[in-house]
Amino acid sequence: MEKIRVRFAPSPTGYIHVGNARTALFNWLFARKNRGVFILRIEDTDIERSAETYEKKLIEDLRWLGIEWDEGPDTGGARGPYRQSERGDLYQEQAQKLMNGGKAYYCFCSPDELERERRDAVASGRPAVYSGKCRGLAPEDARKKVETGNPAAVRLRTPGRGMLTYNDLIRGPLSFDLALTGDPVLIRSNGMPAYNFAVVVDDTLMGITHVIRGEDHISNTPRQILTYEALSFPLPSFAHLSMVMGPDNTRLSKRHGATAVDQFRQDGILSSALFNYLALLGWAPPDGEEVLDAGRLIELFRLEKVSRSAAIFDYDKLNWLNRQHMKTIPSKEAARAAYPFLKEEGLMPENMTEERWEWLERAVGVLIERINRFSEIPAEFELFSKFSPSEMDHADREDLKMESSRKVLRLFIEKTSEDEKLDFDRFSALTQEIKQESGIKGKDLYHPLRLALTGCSSGLDLDKFIPLVEEGASLHLPKSIKSCRQRIFETLNNLE
RNA sequence: GCCCCUGUCGUCUAGCUUGGUUGAGGACACCGCCCUUUCAAGGCGGCAACACGGGUUCAAAUCCCGUCGGGGGCGCCA
């Protein structure tokens, strides 16, 4: 059987949007699933909107997401070049072929003129289709006109009537009335190929067997099929993915919040989670398991099972998936992922010793189950780094002012010394002693301790909190962590 | 305006091809309970949908027609 070849062909006009990333992902999954080839092609024929920095960014974001291509602008390959801007000759050559065969013709209509025709058509209720005004021009006359410097586009001569049907891998048979498909521009008057022509030439020359792209290309497809036929190129299979929408059911855009892959990265979303989420947007595995890594996704993926209707991007579910993925990553990796966010906030130092890493690893390990994404870690980290009894909640403060509370805290101070480092066993022993001596137990015993230690009535389990604080205190972090004894001491003083 | 795609819980979806196994299943979110002397996590449970109207049929979420809703396209943008 012929080897499957698919491509992702973005135009480098900005940062990569999750909708496009999803298209890339489905292509990639399909390629890997079928042991085929995945190609990255840059569609930069619109000179005004393309920029080199965008291409670099695009490549970086795609790689971060975990999508690797077998052939592309930076990796090379046998069917290159992989930038449309470097393939000009190829388009000219194919266009010339069509001109020679009388299947294409020069069009001298100005954009203004065409725009006027279009408006008139819509106003009078007719379909907005190119009139075919220039298709009757004698080729010799047209050539002369071009040679004397008249700007001309090249258009494909289409039948203008009849029906065209093709079978979409996701949607089944799709039919179009060719009377509504005007003669498309192949080469623009500035010499650059038009999108609809460039894709056909590129996809054929690159040996693409399956064109998997967004639903917004459905109505381009008949035009492209006509072009394939005019060129006597074999037809690939087509599959059109539905769109990704925002919560208000309009096309996902900036005003919906984060939409660029890079924004999710900066927010501390794991690439494996975004990858997983995107795959689940419009596709579901057979047995309903949802937390999946790339390998499992490849195993289960089936293009025919992709949903036909548009899907709304659900930030809640992404967060949930991110939590699931955070749980599975090794603690070293979690610490590494959290570190930049903490450093940014001045909570971790530039230079990290072995000891600090080891501590961070444990700290992140307990904080990670309280957050959705790594950008939230500095706020949780305040449990350690921030301690100001004076800012305590009023009700909590009243609780501490009770005589029994004070007694607990005073006993704690009496029984510990400045230079002693507590571990949890020692802490437990201490609380037992306090209990014996004071007769205070249960909530009356633990609640004041928690308040005095954390400044807050809720938070980490004390058995996790205490050793981390005690060891963190000797780490000399930019924002120093206070020891348990110091915390209780300060709380007591602040009560007066 | 014209053409095309699409319509199952608030959201992502399973089921639809091959009508009865569906009192329509799962997941996120939400609510409740349990666990926990806190919070979160976790466990258990609950709320919640076949857009509407006609057919066909003994039987329709599943097949047909129409209406309505949503989306896309009609570019010398991609």
Side-chain angles (χ1 to χ4, degrees), chain A residues 293-342:
Chain A
D293 63 16
R296 189 82 179 120
L297 250 11
I298 291 169
E299 208 175 300
L300 299 173
F301 184 73
R302 285 187 55 203
L303 187 62
E304 318 81 68
K305 299 299 280 182
V306 170
S307 159
R308 292 174 301 274
S309 54
I312 294 174
F313 195 93
D314 184 355
Y315 291 87
D316 281 335
K317 188 141 186 179
L318 206 214
N319 281 336
W320 174 77
L321 262 177
N322 197 51
R323 274 204 311 271
Q324 305 309 310
H325 281 259
M326 285 195 302
K327 279 183 193 168
T328 67
I329 62 172
S331 58
K332 270 201 166 51
E333 210 173 296
R336 233 179 301 129
Y339 174 67
F341 293 96
L342 293 167

Side-chain angles (χ1 to χ4, degrees), chain A residues 102-105 134-137 139 155-159 183-184 186 230:
Chain A
K103 291 175 174 171
Y105 60 90
C134 299
R135 56 177 5 200
L137 261 33
R155 281 185 193 267
L156 180 73
R157 197 183 298 279
T158 67
D183 293 347
L186 268 22

Side-chain angles (χ1 to χ4, degrees), chain A residues 447-466:
Chain A
H447 190 61
L449 282 173
R450 166 176 291 284
L451 283 175
L453 249 20
T454 68
C456 183
S457 60
S458 67
L460 282 181
D461 290 341
L462 290 181
D463 64 341
K464 288 173 181 154
F465 179 80
I466 287 161

